[in-house]
Amino acid sequence: MTTVRNDGRRAGDGEPPRPLRIVLADDEQLVRSALRAILGAEDGMEVVGEAATGAEAVPLIRELRPDLVLMDVRMPEIDGIRATEQVLASMSGPPRIIVVTTFENDAAVYAALRAGASGFLLKRSGAEELVQAVRLVARSDSLLFPAAVRRLAARHAGERAADEAVRTLRARLSERERAVLRLMTAGLTNAEIAERLGVGPATVKTHVAGVLAKLGVRDRTQAVIAAYECGFVRPG
């Protein structure tokens, strides 16, 4: 296990913003080295720790409390799905997690998203795509690869939910929140939703927060999965 600490400095008067603190969890040293080289060269990003297994990753993440984790789906001892579950269940204010995978349509990827991961990234992704994905998930105002998330949800959500589940969801959300959820599932950003609905970005942000709270999920990826699994959004 390799641990690299920063000085814990936060932004203050006259100081630059604190960098995005990232932990890498992958059983391949070459993969971790490549990720560290790419992310470490970016302004505003700092790799603060590495783990080779899920069993190493969970306590390391708890200790370092990073902002974001790149988590390989398939690792020895504890895989990325279980590690994601354990991290999110045991931490207040847990980091956002991007699972890293070889195959986009792998059922394990969907399981990781259901477990609470905020998105996924293919191992064959280039450096620019990697950096953009990290920034997007850290910003959390839109889905990472929305079309792929929708395909995964449509494929793995299972049988269509009973009408009762849809009625329950509709009753829980206001009319405007239902509209916002539909646009979230389409992958629109907060700014795009605001333009579509003719309201301000701050209003959309409030509605998104309301949707997440009422669905009992932590980010828009889980909101989209919930919308598919209860039948609120139909595949196709």
Side-chain angles (χ1 to χ4, degrees):
M1 182 188 302
T2 303
T3 302
V4 181
R5 298 176 181 276
N6 69 357
D7 60 8
R9 185 185 59 170
R10 294 181 179 274
D13 292 340
E15 294 183 354
R18 182 174 68 83
L20 183 72
R21 302 173 71 251
I22 302 168
V23 162
L24 309 175
D26 196 294
D27 61 340
E28 296 185 42
Q29 175 64 50
L30 288 176
V31 172
R32 297 199 309 273
S33 296
L35 292 174
R36 173 183 286 279
I38 293 168
L39 298 175
E42 288 295 313
D43 289 339
M45 295 187 189
E46 182 179 10
V47 176
V48 297
E50 298 180 19
T53 70
E56 289 182 358
V58 174
L60 181 66
I61 294 165
R62 290 172 180 160
E63 176 189 358
L64 297 181
R65 302 192 65 84
D67 303 299
L68 186 140
V69 178
L70 286 173
M71 180 89 73
D72 189 12
V73 167
R74 302 187 185 280
M75 290 185 289
E77 299 180 26
I78 297 177
D79 64 24
I81 302 168
R82 290 177 57 205
T84 295
E85 290 173 339
Q86 291 181 19
V87 166
L88 298 182
S90 64
M91 294 179 64
S92 59
R96 297 191 178 277
I97 296 175
I98 300 176
V99 292
V100 183
T101 180
T102 303
F103 302 107
E104 175 180 312
N105 291 323
D106 194 338
V109 176
Y110 186 70
L113 296 178
R114 290 192 81 250
S118 296
F120 72 91
L121 188 68
L122 295 177
K123 286 195 172 185
R124 65 174 181 269
S125 299
E128 183 176 351
E129 190 172 32
L130 166 66
V131 171
Q132 289 177 345
V134 168
R135 294 195 188 282
L136 181 62
V137 170
R139 196 167 63 237
S140 74
D141 67 347
S142 63
L143 283 176
L144 176 61
F145 306 137
V149 171
R150 291 197 302 271
R151 285 195 300 270
L152 281 167
R155 174 174 295 187
H156 297 289
E159 296 296 326
R160 291 184 176 181
D163 289 343
E164 181 62 29
V166 181
R167 285 196 295 269
T168 299
L169 178 59
R170 289 182 182 278
R172 196 178 299 162
L173 302 179
S174 68
E175 181 178 353
R176 181 49 59 91
E177 287 169 341
R178 293 195 295 272
V180 167
L181 177 56
R182 289 192 182 91
L183 295 175
M184 287 167 59
T185 64
L188 273 65
T189 65
N190 285 358
E192 290 168 338
I193 294 173
E195 183 177 358
R196 183 74 62 89
L197 297 180
V199 298
T203 299
V204 172
K205 188 174 181 179
T206 298
H207 287 314
V208 170
V211 169
L212 300 185
K214 290 180 180 180
L215 296 183
V217 297
R218 69 187 298 261
D219 65 27
R220 57 209 301 148
T221 300
Q222 280 71 55
V224 170
I225 289 172
Y228 272 94
E229 290 197 339
C230 81
F232 180 75
V233 175
R234 303 292 191 184

